Amino acid sequence: MLRRAASDTPFQKVVYEDRLREVAGVPAWLLTVAAALLPAVTAASLTAVRHSRRPPSAPPSPPR
């Protein structure tokens, strides 16, 4: 239910200004995500390379 205000004061318009934070022209959120993912990608890459360079294991010897 709408009611009349106690006083007839003028309303004040609110203007919001949103600014994207940038570092050297790159959005800061993108740098943050990249910095968080970089160690995980590096670890996964190193693990894959080490695993691919491992010599094949010898087949099990036949029972006597």
Side-chain angles (χ1 to χ4, degrees):
M1 174 192 263
L2 297 175
R3 294 184 185 183
R4 185 174 295 198
S7 62
D8 193 17
T9 56
F11 72 94
Q12 192 173 17
K13 187 175 182 178
V14 178
V15 177
Y16 293 97
E17 283 190 31
D18 294 329
R19 293 184 183 169
L20 183 63
R21 294 181 186 232
E22 294 181 350
V23 177
V26 179
W29 69 266
L30 186 58
L31 294 175
T32 304
V33 170
L37 290 178
L38 185 62
V41 170
T42 302
S45 299
L46 289 175
T47 302
V49 168
R50 287 180 183 168
H51 185 69
S52 68
R53 291 186 179 182
R54 189 176 294 169
S57 60
S61 60
R64 293 182 190 190

